[in-house]
Amino acid sequence: MGRAPARAYIEALYVEFDAIAARRRPRRQLPAAFEIDGYFRPYERHFIYWRVLDDTMIGVVVFLHERMQQVDRLREVLG
């Protein structure tokens, strides 16, 4: 019997976080209007937003579904 789809998705997401921290994934800088030094990238049907904490660690700020109002939600979280 295989793993539940949700569990597999979460496990793959942690692999993605590790790859982001190791800088093996392309990233985009957050727009200057947010006044925060951070990055984002799409992942499946979501967007991951993070900050670099040091050479090996990232701090995930928020993880949003593609259908959410990205700008509004980011302002809430970063506000």
Side-chain angles (χ1 to χ4, degrees):
M1 179 179 275
R3 291 185 278 186
R7 181 181 175 110
Y9 188 83
I10 296 297
E11 289 175 357
L13 184 59
Y14 277 92
V15 170
E16 185 71 11
F17 292 157
D18 287 341
I20 289 170
R23 293 173 174 78
R24 293 190 311 263
R25 297 288 189 265
R27 62 186 181 187
R28 291 181 177 162
Q29 183 103 27
L30 285 172
F34 288 108
E35 298 177 349
I36 184 172
D37 187 25
Y39 303 93
F40 72 99
R41 71 171 270 103
Y43 176 76
E44 301 282 332
R45 302 195 114 191
H46 292 85
F47 286 90
I48 303 169
Y49 295 86
W50 74 91
R51 298 178 192 179
V52 175
L53 303 177
D54 65 30
D55 287 340
T56 61
M57 293 184 66
I58 61 168
V60 175
V61 175
V62 69
F63 180 69
L64 300 174
H65 192 274
E66 67 188 2
R67 291 186 180 173
M68 291 186 79
Q69 293 294 327
Q70 303 291 312
V71 174
D72 293 340
R73 184 66 179 123
L74 276 174
R75 285 194 176 122
E76 276 180 37
V77 172
L78 300 175

